[in-house]
Amino acid sequence: MTKPNFQVMTKKQLLAYMLEHREDNEAFYAYMDKVNAEPASEFYPAPQSIDDLKHFPQLLEKFRQEREKEA
């Protein structure tokens, strides 16, 4: 059986393959390479005041949109 080309697989496809073939270390390392190649996620500090909470709905919507792009 030939292995799939991990380089052309999306992160989501590779994760699905990796979960079905948990003993495949090469798939795990390819997945981790893809994860580490992505830029770091934006960090959102905890609100420090009531005024900070006014911007929470916009931050939450931005986070949701970013998550949808990844899926």
Side-chain angles (χ1 to χ4, degrees):
M1 179 175 140
T2 61
K3 288 194 181 214
N5 185 350
F6 300 133
Q7 303 306 318
V8 298
M9 294 173 80
T10 65
K11 191 171 76 170
K12 188 174 183 178
Q13 291 169 330
L14 189 50
L15 177 60
Y17 174 87
M18 189 178 66
L19 291 173
E20 290 178 16
H21 302 88
R22 294 177 187 264
E23 73 289 344
D24 191 341
N25 289 334
E26 186 179 347
F28 171 76
Y29 290 122
Y31 179 76
M32 293 309 298
D33 287 343
K34 285 186 183 287
V35 169
N36 289 329
E38 293 178 351
S41 297
E42 189 171 345
F43 177 73
Y44 300 105
Q48 301 297 316
S49 68
I50 298 297
D51 289 334
D52 288 347
L53 290 175
K54 291 179 184 176
H55 300 290
F56 183 75
Q58 293 88 358
L59 291 174
L60 183 59
E61 183 59 30
K62 182 179 176 183
F63 176 76
R64 286 181 179 154
Q65 289 174 357
E66 290 173 0
R67 294 285 294 189
E68 287 177 1
K69 289 179 187 177
E70 293 176 3

